[in-house]
Amino acid sequence: MKYFLNLLSSIVLFILLAQVGRSAELAGIEIDCHKYYDTVTINTSEYIKPKVMLLDNPSRLVVDLTGIKIKTKTFPKIKSKRITKVRTGSSTRIVFDLAYSVDYEEASIFGQNKVVIEVRDKSRPYVHNLQEEPAADPVAPVMEVKKVAPQIVRVERVVVREEVESDNGRGGSQTRPYSKVLKGKIIVIDPGHGGADPGAFGIGGLVEKNLTLKTANYLVEFLKQQGATVYLTRKKNVKIDLAEVTAFTNRIDADIYVGLHYNATYNSRMNGTETYYYTARSLKLAEIMHKNLREKLGRRDNGVRRAKLYTVHHALMPAVIVEPCYLTNPEEANLAASDRFLKKVAAAVSDGIKEYFNGGNRKDTKVKH
Ligand SMILES: [Zn+2]
């Protein structure tokens, strides 16, 4: 009997140790400080579902990362108007002490093991008017985020069609038809997720990686028809490392990068279209892209948002990520289940790209020779 108990306790201990060994870790926290809001990005080694709460007396935002091991006890100081201090509350809780009471919006980035919390001033409207503030705010990293070293690129090339328009020798100005605006432009289309990384799961069995690929295929056709040189980061259900995508995009010196994603959250009422960018050079593309998505899809306008997502952060050219709708919202999941809607998304993105390269208008333009 004693032997049996010893054996049993050994098994229990082994299971406990296995649990400890498996627990996810906090990989880093970044805080981007803005005039009206701060973006807090919490990176973890595995996907987790955090619990975010605002508490009073004193004002603080707490984030419970259940199942996460927080090893760090102290966090360096940050330069934010509203977040005065970052500290640990308990073994799984991070506390953001606040200078005054705020609003917040939380978004888990599926497949990227990160939680993005926008902490914003109460007087600030929900949709940002990003033109009011400088896009290239200084970044205040709190902890280093683990970075993946770029490797050999496995990105597949779809088509190359570089047609240089013949010089008519007359000089002066000439009309460039709006339909020809994409000729020779190098565009990288990146259907989010793939392979072992499914991205978001939506209502009715929707899987983000499949929808992004379908949308990308429609989009490539639209862009090819207009003479663009298009690179698709994946043609199949495979996972391509984000660092590889970015390294490739930078190496070929693409004109723009467009990442395709579909959104998801735990709140099924959340719906609408968002467009993400990070660098100042990407803001114009983000705004024009967002306008086209809003007009053509007619979903709720969640605004153009600045977030430090890997590809848009590291791209050296204008780079955006589109999130046309929420797969976790019944109405939008129903839409996203139809190829017709995905094609509509592709058409909106294609129109956005076209308008961007035409300087933000939809007419034929005079070009100087
Ligand atoms: Zn995604």
Side-chain angles (χ1 to χ4, degrees), residues 109-112 192-193 199-200 208 212 260-263 323:
I109 310 295
F110 280 75
Q112 290 189 28
H193 313 283
E208 187 186 359
T212 58
L260 301 174
H261 285 256
Y262 284 87
N263 227 330
E323 301 265 12

Side-chain angles (χ1 to χ4, degrees), residues 4 27 29 32 59 68-69 79 84 94 113 121 162 191 203 212 219 225 241 253 281 288 290 297 305 316 320:
F4 177 72
I29 299 175
D32 285 355
S59 281
I68 291 282
K69 225 170 18 178
K79 287 174 196 158
T84 53
I94 301 170
N113 302 338
D121 293 350
E162 284 179 67
I203 295 169
T212 58
L219 178 56
Q225 280 164 17
D241 190 278
D253 195 19
R281 69 176 83 88
I288 293 171
H290 191 69
L297 303 180
R305 296 179 175 195
L316 298 174
V320 296

